[in-house]
Amino acid sequence: MVQHIPTAYVLDPEDPRAPTREQWDAMTPRERDRVIDALPTSLPIELHPPEGDLHRKTKQGALGTLDDFFRRAGRRIYLSSELAVFYPGERSFVPDLLAVLDVDPHDRMRWVVSKEERGLDFVLEVIVAGSASKDLEHNVERYARLGIAEYFVFDRPSCRLYGHALGPGRPDAYRRVVPQAGRYESKVLGLDLVLDGDKLRFFAGNAALEDTDEVIARLGGMLDKVLAREEDALARAEAERRRAEQEASRAEQEASRAEAAEARAQEAKRLLDEALAELARLKR
């Protein structure tokens, strides 16, 4: 059902769009809130068809890698995947991965440019199946026109990476990012993007950033080593305890034998004393 909101704005569920800048400026804060609440958090499946596990794992791996890196670095950056984005009056879209610098990274249901007062700074799209024309042609023109500073495309089937960045002379047109020694520089992220076989990696200087699976594997390996050391220490402690118990047992046995020998000696002395006394008596 088409929803009517004041200031001549109409939300069409078949083609959900945010208000134009003029419509937004004419709205009251309450009307703006109503518009934001009415905007969908997902797009119709024909506009955003699923592409399977390889697509999901690739973008989630990139998101997890960047999120972990920037969180540890203490940098304020908003990162998301599969988030509905609404530019004023534009058809909405859902990037595979997006980044916006220097904003509060709290959770969001959608990115509404008019509300955030910020457009996207970085977009990564991942091609796994289907036609590549949307990502390699249509989005190149569209994202440049929207002012998205950097746009990268990872074509997984062909193992190719394409980088685009807005140039100083043409703020509404992309220039290709030329790789240097296989590295594609992202000035927005302050990182390099590199293809490692069929895997997309991020580098900070000469250090490759680990993805979530690699972090888990590394921590698992470290945990295994710690557990192995703990088990070895426990085994050594148990062996030492047993040796101590054996030594204590031997000492106890030696003490018992010594006590028995002392008792026998005392008994022999008593008998000898009695015999000597009896001999002396007989002599008298």
Side-chain angles (χ1 to χ4, degrees), residues 57 199 210-218:
K57 290 179 179 179
K199 186 180 184 66
E210 294 177 312
D211 62 24
T212 303
D213 290 340
E214 290 170 333
V215 171
I216 292 173
R218 177 173 58 81

Short mmCIF file of all heavy atoms in Angstrom, two decimals, residues 57 199 210-218:
data_model
loop_
_atom_site.label_atom_id
_atom_site.label_comp_id
_atom_site.label_asym_id
_atom_site.label_seq_id
_atom_site.Cartn_x
_atom_site.Cartn_y
_atom_site.Cartn_z
N LYS A 57 29.94 -15.64 2.51
CA LYS A 57 31.18 -15.82 3.26
C LYS A 57 32.22 -14.77 2.88
O LYS A 57 32.98 -14.31 3.74
CB LYS A 57 31.73 -17.23 3.02
CG LYS A 57 30.90 -18.32 3.66
CD LYS A 57 31.48 -19.70 3.37
CE LYS A 57 30.66 -20.80 4.03
NZ LYS A 57 31.20 -22.15 3.73
N LYS A 199 40.94 -15.35 -2.84
CA LYS A 199 40.63 -14.72 -1.56
C LYS A 199 41.00 -13.25 -1.59
O LYS A 199 42.06 -12.88 -2.10
CB LYS A 199 41.38 -15.43 -0.43
CG LYS A 199 41.02 -14.97 0.97
CD LYS A 199 41.83 -15.76 1.98
CE LYS A 199 41.44 -15.39 3.41
NZ LYS A 199 40.06 -15.78 3.72
N GLU A 210 44.13 -10.58 9.40
CA GLU A 210 43.51 -11.90 9.50
C GLU A 210 41.99 -11.77 9.41
O GLU A 210 41.40 -10.83 9.94
CB GLU A 210 43.87 -12.57 10.81
CG GLU A 210 45.35 -12.89 10.97
CD GLU A 210 45.64 -13.49 12.32
OE1 GLU A 210 45.18 -12.93 13.33
OE2 GLU A 210 46.34 -14.52 12.37
N ASP A 211 41.37 -12.73 8.72
CA ASP A 211 39.91 -12.76 8.74
C ASP A 211 39.45 -13.55 9.96
O ASP A 211 40.26 -14.08 10.74
CB ASP A 211 39.33 -13.34 7.45
CG ASP A 211 39.73 -14.78 7.20
OD1 ASP A 211 40.06 -15.50 8.17
OD2 ASP A 211 39.72 -15.20 6.02
N THR A 212 38.15 -13.60 10.16
CA THR A 212 37.60 -14.23 11.37
C THR A 212 38.03 -15.69 11.50
O THR A 212 38.42 -16.14 12.59
CB THR A 212 36.07 -14.14 11.36
OG1 THR A 212 35.68 -12.75 11.24
CG2 THR A 212 35.49 -14.72 12.63
N ASP A 213 37.98 -16.45 10.39
CA ASP A 213 38.35 -17.86 10.45
C ASP A 213 39.83 -18.01 10.83
O ASP A 213 40.18 -18.92 11.60
CB ASP A 213 38.09 -18.54 9.11
CG ASP A 213 36.60 -18.70 8.83
OD1 ASP A 213 35.81 -18.64 9.79
OD2 ASP A 213 36.23 -18.87 7.65
N GLU A 214 40.67 -17.12 10.29
CA GLU A 214 42.10 -17.21 10.60
C GLU A 214 42.37 -16.84 12.05
O GLU A 214 43.22 -17.44 12.71
CB GLU A 214 42.88 -16.29 9.66
CG GLU A 214 42.90 -16.79 8.22
CD GLU A 214 43.46 -15.77 7.25
OE1 GLU A 214 43.36 -14.56 7.53
OE2 GLU A 214 43.99 -16.17 6.20
N VAL A 215 41.65 -15.83 12.56
CA VAL A 215 41.80 -15.45 13.97
C VAL A 215 41.39 -16.62 14.87
O VAL A 215 42.08 -16.96 15.83
CB VAL A 215 40.97 -14.20 14.30
CG1 VAL A 215 40.96 -13.95 15.81
CG2 VAL A 215 41.53 -12.99 13.57
N ILE A 216 40.26 -17.24 14.53
CA ILE A 216 39.78 -18.37 15.32
C ILE A 216 40.79 -19.52 15.28
O ILE A 216 41.09 -20.14 16.30
CB ILE A 216 38.41 -18.84 14.81
CG1 ILE A 216 37.34 -17.77 15.11
CG2 ILE A 216 38.01 -20.17 15.45
CD1 ILE A 216 36.00 -18.07 14.50
N ALA A 217 41.32 -19.79 14.07
CA ALA A 217 42.30 -20.87 13.94
C ALA A 217 43.58 -20.55 14.73
O ALA A 217 44.14 -21.43 15.41
CB ALA A 217 42.64 -21.09 12.47
N ARG A 218 44.03 -19.28 14.65
CA ARG A 218 45.24 -18.91 15.40
C ARG A 218 45.01 -19.00 16.90
O ARG A 218 45.84 -19.55 17.63
CB ARG A 218 45.66 -17.49 15.02
CG ARG A 218 46.87 -16.97 15.79
CD ARG A 218 47.36 -15.64 15.25
NE ARG A 218 46.33 -14.64 15.29
CZ ARG A 218 46.00 -13.93 16.39
NH1 ARG A 218 46.64 -14.16 17.52
NH2 ARG A 218 45.06 -13.02 16.34
#
